[in-house]
């Protein structure tokens, strides 16, 4: 079932631009935390076996909160829910500064967990932009929000390197102060400029909203929801799986540590730069072909990585991985926004994001051990079944769409 509307609300495009700015601030904050938290944890941990716990808590807290965030957004509205998420980043950054300054490991864990809470709320920026516009404009609204991460993805690690030595008596404290500042700026932008928008509606959609909300199990079995989750989950899982292992694999293949960092920067460009045109590409070529193109690029990444371990092969493979993720993520989110009525939004979005978070966390945790045990080529081969499942779900949705159009055309004759 699809729910469409011919026109977006007047402030939809303005809100998308504001959320793009917030996405940029979020990406800066989270990239600083992801760059330095493992090192800070090693510095503060009373037992070095606990050194990665603060890093893991970013993902764990995000996964736990994401389900509840969907219902809080429904209750409080997007504006104040997003403000609450950004305020948690500010608090988390300040707690991290205090913890580093005083050498307190466990309060540092609280600080990184609060940044994970911010991450959970920020994941709904793209969905908020999609919900405020017509179906034809959803992919462009999602792309606009993700485009906010392009510069931030590259600036964030540089900010971390620049600010970590601000306070010589407390290494890394300056960087976490910047994290707090990113959260504070997000609060200011959201309070001053963002406004909740009434969703566009048609007579058909208004009639659908009068019907009882479907059970979550019924929504989850629709082709559109299954295709959306398959692309969002598979795209994010594969991306994190390969990206996490790539720097380690590059060093193991006798490339330099700096080469590993440069490969990831190139990958980040691939992840976010297509956001400037992915929405228009979907409008021009169709959602199905763009999703399949994203899957094809992920397949290309795996094939290149299995055939060669030269430095150019790493660059090309990780670039294809980034672009493929973008196409699958923008397309999958567009499908997700078509899969529910407003009364079904919270539980549908919450389930989809929880599944994505859980799969991403498993991929992140499993990449290192699998790389060490089986090697880079086998690691890339392992993503092929995941891509196959996603392709089958996408083709099933495309077939259902084609069948629906054929039935409609027959009824008009």
């Amino acid at each position: 079932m699809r729910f469409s509307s011919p026109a977006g609300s007047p402030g939809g495009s303005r809100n998308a631009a504001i959320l793009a700015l917030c996405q940029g601030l979020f990406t800066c904050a989270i990239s600083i935390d992801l760059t330095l938290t493992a090192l800070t944890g090693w510095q503060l941990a009373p037992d070095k076996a606990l050194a990665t716990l603060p890093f893991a808590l970013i993902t764990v807290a995000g996964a736990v909160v994401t389900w509840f965030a969907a219902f809080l957004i429904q209750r409080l509205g997007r504006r104040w829910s997003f403000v609450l998420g950004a305020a948690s980043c500010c608090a988390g950054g300040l707690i991290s500064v205090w913890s580093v300054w005083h050498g307190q490991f466990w309060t540092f864990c609280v600080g990184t967990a609060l940044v994970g809470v911010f991450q959970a709320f920020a994941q709904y920026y793209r969905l908020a932009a999609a919900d405020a516009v017509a179906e034809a404009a959803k992919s462009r609204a999602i792309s606009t929000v993700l485009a906010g991460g392009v510069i931030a993805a590259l600036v964030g690690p540089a900010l971390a390197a620049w600010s970590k030595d601000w306070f010589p008596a407390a290494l890394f404290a300056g960087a976490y102060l910047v994290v707090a500042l990113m959260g504070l700026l997000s609060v200011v932008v959201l309070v001053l400029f963002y406004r909740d928008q009434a969703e566009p509606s048609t007579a058909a959609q208004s009639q659908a909203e009068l019907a009882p909300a479907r059970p979550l199990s019924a929504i989850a079995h629709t082709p559109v929801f299954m295709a959306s989750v398959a692309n969002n989950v598979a795209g994010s899982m594969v991306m994190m799986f390969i990206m996490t292992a790539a720097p380690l694999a590059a060093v193991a293949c006798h490339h330099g540590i700096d080469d590993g960092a440069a490969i990831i920067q190139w990958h980040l460009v691939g992840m976010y730069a297509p956001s400037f045109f992915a929405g228009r590409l979907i409008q021009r070529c169709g959602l199905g072909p763009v999703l399949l193109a994203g899957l094809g690029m992920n397949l290309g990444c795996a094939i290149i990585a299995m055939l060669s371990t030269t430095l150019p092969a790493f660059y090309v493979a990780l670039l294809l991985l980034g672009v493929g993720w973008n196409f699958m993520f923008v397309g999958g989110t567009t499908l997700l926004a078509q899969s529910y009525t407003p009364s079904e939004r919270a539980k549908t979005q919450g389930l989809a994001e929880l599944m994505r978070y859980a799969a991403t966390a498993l991929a992140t945790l499993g990449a290192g051990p699998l790389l060490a045990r089986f090697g880079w080529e086998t690691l890339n081969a392992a993503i092929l079944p995941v891509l196959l499942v996603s392709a089958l779900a996408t083709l099933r949705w495309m077939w259902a769409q084609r069948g629906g159009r054929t039935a409609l055309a027959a009824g008009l004759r």
Side-chain angles (χ1 to χ4, degrees):
M1 183 181 293
R2 301 174 65 197
F3 305 98
S4 60
S5 52
S9 60
S13 58
R14 175 179 177 273
N15 269 354
I18 294 167
L19 290 172
L21 174 58
C22 291
Q23 178 75 21
L25 293 170
F26 157 71
T27 306
C28 270
I30 200 69
S31 62
I32 292 171
D33 249 86
L34 295 177
T35 300
L36 296 178
T37 293
L39 296 172
T40 308
W42 180 267
Q43 174 182 288
L44 298 179
D47 179 348
K48 298 310 179 186
L50 297 172
T52 58
L53 178 61
F55 185 92
L57 283 174
I58 298 174
T59 301
V60 172
V64 170
V65 171
T66 189
W67 172 264
F68 301 101
F71 290 93
L72 190 64
I73 289 169
Q74 185 180 50
R75 186 176 183 85
L76 293 183
R78 297 184 182 92
R79 182 191 185 194
W80 293 112
S81 297
F82 291 160
V83 166
L84 179 62
S88 71
C89 175
C90 186
L94 292 175
I95 290 172
S96 297
V97 171
W98 184 92
S99 301
V100 172
W101 199 276
H102 292 86
Q104 296 296 314
F105 176 76
W106 295 110
T107 53
F108 179 65
C109 289
V110 174
T112 59
L114 284 171
V115 173
V117 172
F118 179 41
Q119 186 178 40
F121 280 93
Q123 298 308 309
Y124 290 96
Y125 289 165
R126 73 192 199 284
L127 291 166
D131 287 338
V133 297
E135 182 176 321
K138 289 184 186 299
S139 57
R140 289 188 64 177
I142 295 163
S143 290
T144 298
V145 173
L146 292 181
V150 175
I151 297 176
L154 301 176
V155 170
L159 276 176
W162 172 61
S163 59
K164 66 182 177 64
D165 297 317
W166 279 0
F167 306 109
L171 183 64
F172 304 138
Y176 291 106
L177 186 60
V178 175
V179 171
L181 180 61
M182 295 297 106
L184 179 60
L185 288 174
S186 296
V187 169
V188 171
V189 169
L190 289 163
V191 169
L192 293 182
F193 302 109
Y194 185 79
R195 296 292 181 272
D196 287 333
Q197 295 290 324
E199 293 184 32
S201 181
T202 64
Q205 184 172 349
S206 298
Q207 185 176 3
E209 291 169 14
L210 295 175
R214 295 169 295 171
L216 193 53
S217 58
I219 299 171
H221 282 87
T222 59
V224 64
F225 180 84
M226 294 177 69
S228 73
V229 168
N231 280 277
N232 281 337
V233 170
S236 297
M237 186 177 184
V238 166
M239 185 270 292
M240 286 300 296
F241 192 59
I242 300 301
M243 183 184 72
T244 301
L248 300 174
V251 172
C253 293
H254 310 294
H255 305 301
I257 294 175
D258 289 342
D259 291 327
I263 288 167
I264 294 304
Q265 284 192 312
W266 196 241
H267 168 68
L268 291 172
V269 171
M271 283 180 64
Y272 291 105
S275 298
F276 290 110
F277 60 83
R280 291 184 176 88
L281 191 64
I282 288 172
Q283 288 181 326
R284 179 180 292 271
C285 301
L287 186 51
V290 171
L291 288 169
L292 294 177
L295 284 160
M297 289 180 190
N298 277 280
L299 177 62
C301 164
I303 291 172
I304 291 170
M306 288 188 288
L307 291 176
S308 174
T309 56
T310 62
L311 191 58
F314 271 100
Y315 276 110
V316 174
L318 269 292
L319 177 64
L320 286 174
L321 181 70
V323 178
W325 171 84
N326 186 283
F327 284 6
M328 293 176 71
F329 197 58
V330 172
T333 303
T334 303
L335 286 176
L336 179 61
Q338 297 173 2
S339 68
Y340 51 76
T341 62
S343 62
E344 300 165 345
R345 179 192 303 115
K347 61 184 179 184
T348 307
Q349 290 183 352
L351 175 63
E353 290 300 285
L354 181 61
M355 293 172 67
R356 186 172 67 85
Y357 255 110
T360 302
L362 287 174
T364 304
L365 293 171
L370 288 174
L371 176 67
R373 185 177 178 90
F374 298 108
W376 177 240
E377 293 82 2
T378 303
L379 192 79
N380 280 274
I383 72 174
L384 298 180
V386 179
L387 295 177
L388 177 61
V389 170
S390 182
L392 291 175
T394 302
L395 290 171
R396 178 173 180 250
W397 167 75
M398 292 173 68
W399 182 262
Q401 289 292 102
R402 182 180 178 183
R405 287 194 295 268
T406 301
L408 178 61
L412 293 175
R413 291 193 187 114

